[in-house]
Amino acid sequence: MEKTVVLVKPDAFQRGLVGRIVARFERKGLKLIGMKMIKISPELAKEHYAHLVDKPFYPGLEKFMTSDPILVFVVEGQEAIEVVRKIVGVTNSRKAEAGTVRGDFSMSTGRNTIHASDSQETAQKELARFFKPEELFEYDLKVWDYLYAEDEKE
Ligand code: DAT
Ligand code: MG
């Protein structure tokens, strides 16, 4: 079953949105399998945002992402990567659909409250980047039979 990584950014901490953001994923029926607070170093920020380091806004992005702790968590579910990106909404929160995290909680691109892996390859890399194997938990979700029909389970 697919696993994907979510980061709750410093703006969400400052604005008291962390719990409400996590709740969006729980209520959808995604299984939480790892969660912790971390402080991102400049080196880790450069690795995580390698596709953006040459952009003019990168110094501000790094300063923001390393300014305060973040929450990092992993959810598991069928097609979890795509499902989570839909819940997150598009990068510019002003264009994000109402009902998405960014669409409901933010007015900004640079302060858009949340990050989520955007592909299977990225999810794999981000899992390894942020979590040790022993920080991810395998456990039975007792409601599994009510989240998925027989033919939707692996
Ligand atoms: P996403 O976070 O939707 O995957 P991304 O990977 O293109 O988007 O960019 C990562 C983060 O970088 C994004 O959440 C906010 C910041 N960012 C992207 N484009 C930006 C821009 N034009 N101006 C300011 N910040 C930007
Ligand atoms: Mg991205």
Side-chain angles (χ1 to χ4, degrees):
M1 193 143 308
E2 245 174 49
K3 297 178 177 63
T4 189
V5 176
V6 179
L7 311 184
V8 184
K9 298 181 180 182
D11 52 334
F13 275 78
Q14 293 293 339
R15 296 178 53 215
L17 297 172
V18 177
R20 272 178 282 177
I21 289 174
V22 174
R24 295 286 178 110
F25 300 92
E26 281 191 294
R27 75 180 189 186
K28 177 68 171 170
L30 289 153
K31 180 180 175 183
L32 282 166
I33 60 165
M35 180 177 276
K36 61 182 177 178
M37 278 175 67
I38 59 166
K39 190 109 187 280
I40 294 199
S41 66
E43 295 69 37
L44 190 62
K46 285 183 186 78
E47 183 188 318
H48 183 67
Y49 287 125
H51 60 301
L52 299 174
V53 282
D54 296 328
K55 302 279 187 196
F57 60 81
Y58 180 76
L61 174 62
E62 180 181 301
K63 187 160 181 268
F64 168 61
M65 287 299 292
T66 60
S67 62
D68 281 321
I70 62 161
L71 181 74
V72 50
F73 65 91
V74 181
V75 292
E76 188 174 50
Q78 291 288 12
E79 299 174 69
I81 296 162
E82 189 187 339
V83 167
V84 165
R85 289 287 290 193
K86 276 204 175 124
I87 294 171
V88 166
V90 297
T91 311
N92 178 347
S93 299
R94 293 190 296 279
K95 310 274 186 237
E97 295 283 342
T100 64
V101 171
R102 287 170 172 168
D104 287 355
F105 293 133
S106 163
M107 281 292 287
S108 167
T109 298
R111 302 286 184 269
N112 60 10
T113 71
I114 191 165
H115 161 90
S117 314
D118 62 8
S119 67
Q120 302 221 3
E121 194 195 343
T122 315
Q124 287 297 323
K125 280 192 192 159
E126 293 181 356
L127 265 174
R129 179 171 304 143
F130 292 107
F131 287 89
K132 300 185 188 117
E134 65 268 25
E135 292 173 328
L136 297 176
F137 295 84
E138 278 184 28
Y139 63 97
D140 265 352
L141 205 55
K142 307 296 189 277
V143 296
W144 212 237
D145 288 347
Y146 301 95
L147 289 170
Y148 297 104
E150 285 309 323
D151 62 345
E152 294 171 312
K153 294 180 203 164
E154 276 178 356

